[in-house]
Amino acid sequence: MTVRTTHVGSLPRPEALTRLMYQHQEGAGDAAELEAAVTEAVHDVVAMQHGAGIDVVSDGEMGKPGFVNYVRERLTGFSGQAPGWSIDDLEAAPELAIAQYGGEAGAHIMPANCEGPVSYVGAEAVARDIATLRLALEKTGHTADGDAFVPAASPGCIATGSPNLHYPDYDSYLDALADAMREEYRAIVDAGLVLQLDCPDIPMAGHTEFWCRDEVRRRGLVGFAERHMAAIDRALEGIDPSRVRLHLCWGNYEGPHHLDAPLAELLPPVLAGAPTTISFEAANPRHEHEWEDVAELPIPEDKVLLPGVVDTLNNIVEHPRLIAQRLGRFTRVVGTDRVMAGTDCGFGTFVGFGRVGPRVAEMKLRAIAEGAALVRS
């Protein structure tokens, strides 16, 4: 048995699609032209992943302006422009923040405030995402059932990025988001696809000036993680947890990351939640060593580990032997059948944003497949 392969979800978008999405965000452009460009881009990235040897593929999030800000079009109650947040470790290197967020891509991240009751109105949009992905899978010859996934923002991810100006307290806001997003989650799983919940909110809470940082201080990092996992479990009621994976990351930006909370502190409350498969950074220089901590933790027998084995913030293609070595650290802990090979994060978390271009992203995915093939049970 070899280790199965996947990645975190977003892939570099074609330049033409990026331009069309910018126009859409600005309230301009032709909707039919954008939809046609998204359909073509999804087909291309599914074919690329299939050809690279990736087992569980995604639509590359081609139709979304970003992994979390897309929800402003799928949820009621969101409007206006939320203030940005600062990241503690970038305060020591402000030139890095300007280089990454100061340009056109940064201006189009555009988070919103919660200014009214939250409800889900994205049924048509998620159905379109699903149909586009399934069509690409069919054309490519890649099976859908269990071999394709769709990322979606977790309740906590939305809550930390969009200030609450409506609900009486943070808990009410978080639960309202869980109840609303359940519709999207269920639609993905009911379509035979794997649901990925993006949860950078849990690791980033310790070093990011989110609007709700007082909640983090009041609860502590573990308590904050537990509360966010409770919201996830609430949203997943009635959904098979084996069809759900959860992605943790400390922020997909190039910075010192010297203030990142340790994985050993955050992983236990995450493992106690419903999702079966847990994705986390394990390739970049700030977190690669933490495999030793994972080896010391009690990993429930129903959980699958999905470590990142390539870095998404540089253009160096990892050697397959290195990837196999990284995977071996985890297969020795839980066995080959309970490890998947992935990326540290996405290659295109927001439209126009990313350090790695399409060609190198494909090379990195091919390296994952080649490295995983070297790992045997």
Side-chain angles (χ1 to χ4, degrees):
M1 175 183 292
T2 59
V3 173
R4 282 168 61 78
T5 59
T6 187
H7 61 98
V8 164
S10 65
L11 292 165
R13 297 167 182 83
E15 180 60 31
L17 176 58
T18 296
R19 288 284 134 207
L20 289 171
M21 296 194 79
Y22 283 166
Q23 292 174 16
H24 175 73
Q25 287 180 290
E26 294 163 0
D30 181 84
E33 183 182 10
L34 174 60
E35 186 171 345
V38 168
T39 299
E40 181 180 2
V42 171
H43 178 267
D44 289 346
V45 296
V46 168
M48 181 274 285
Q49 294 165 76
H50 180 76
I54 297 301
D55 296 312
V56 186
V57 305
S58 80
D59 64 357
E61 298 198 278
M62 293 292 118
K64 296 174 180 175
F67 75 100
V68 62
N69 53 344
Y70 79 96
V71 301
R72 69 182 296 159
E73 297 184 354
R74 301 193 186 187
L75 296 172
T76 65
F78 288 86
S79 58
Q81 177 68 50
W85 59 77
S86 62
I87 302 175
D88 293 348
D89 66 302
L90 287 179
E91 294 294 313
E95 69 280 3
L96 292 176
I98 294 170
Q100 294 176 81
Y101 296 101
E104 186 175 19
H108 281 87
I109 293 176
M110 299 171 64
N113 295 310
C114 176
E115 299 180 350
V118 174
S119 62
Y120 191 73
V121 291
E124 183 178 339
V126 72
R128 184 168 57 248
D129 287 348
I130 291 167
T132 302
L133 175 56
R134 292 188 70 91
L135 177 62
L137 293 167
E138 182 180 341
K139 287 183 175 180
T140 306
H142 196 99
T143 58
D145 189 23
D147 290 332
F149 72 99
V150 175
S154 68
C157 183
I158 303 168
T160 51
S162 293
N164 168 36
L165 306 181
H166 172 73
Y167 288 92
D169 52 51
Y170 188 74
D171 287 327
S172 301
Y173 179 39
L174 197 58
D175 287 343
L177 288 168
D179 293 343
M181 290 300 292
R182 179 187 294 124
E183 295 188 41
E184 178 157 303
Y185 304 160
R186 184 177 291 279
I188 293 167
V189 174
D190 286 351
L193 303 169
V194 173
L195 165 66
Q196 176 178 292
L197 295 176
D198 288 325
C199 300
D201 45 292
I202 291 176
M204 291 185 72
H207 69 278
T208 307
E209 287 285 349
F210 291 131
W211 70 272
C212 56
R213 199 162 195 182
D214 285 347
E215 288 290 329
V216 181
R217 295 188 180 101
R218 182 172 69 85
R219 299 175 190 266
L221 281 178
V222 172
F224 191 74
E226 290 172 340
R227 183 61 186 90
H228 279 213
M229 289 307 301
I232 287 172
D233 289 352
R234 178 186 180 109
L236 295 179
E237 287 179 8
I239 295 176
D240 181 358
S242 71
R243 307 288 297 190
V244 183
R245 63 195 217 186
L246 180 150
H247 170 62
L248 299 172
C249 83
W250 286 260
N252 197 30
Y253 63 90
E254 189 177 16
H257 283 280
H258 63 298
L259 302 176
D260 287 3
L263 179 64
E265 186 174 349
L266 302 174
L267 199 53
V270 171
L271 289 170
T276 292
T277 301
I278 310 301
S279 158
F280 53 93
E281 297 181 46
N284 68 63
R286 192 66 199 182
H287 292 282
E288 184 175 2
H289 69 283
E290 291 182 309
W291 68 270
E292 294 179 323
D293 300 321
V294 174
E296 296 296 322
L297 292 172
I299 310 297
E301 292 185 2
D302 63 336
K303 299 298 182 181
V304 175
L305 301 180
L306 203 175
V309 290
V310 300
D311 195 332
T312 54
L313 291 174
N314 66 55
N315 285 280
I316 301 170
V317 179
E318 291 81 353
H319 197 286
R321 284 178 57 191
L322 173 61
I323 289 170
Q325 290 168 8
R326 287 171 170 168
L327 289 170
R329 298 165 180 169
F330 297 98
T331 60
R332 287 190 290 273
V333 176
V334 296
T336 307
D337 60 336
R338 291 174 55 202
V339 173
M340 291 186 71
T343 56
D344 268 0
C345 197
F347 288 102
T349 50
F350 295 104
V351 62
F353 188 87
R355 293 288 189 180
V356 179
R359 292 182 180 177
V360 174
E362 179 178 358
M363 293 170 71
K364 282 178 175 273
L365 294 184
R366 287 186 181 277
I368 291 176
E370 291 168 8
L374 299 176
V375 181
R376 300 288 176 177
S377 58

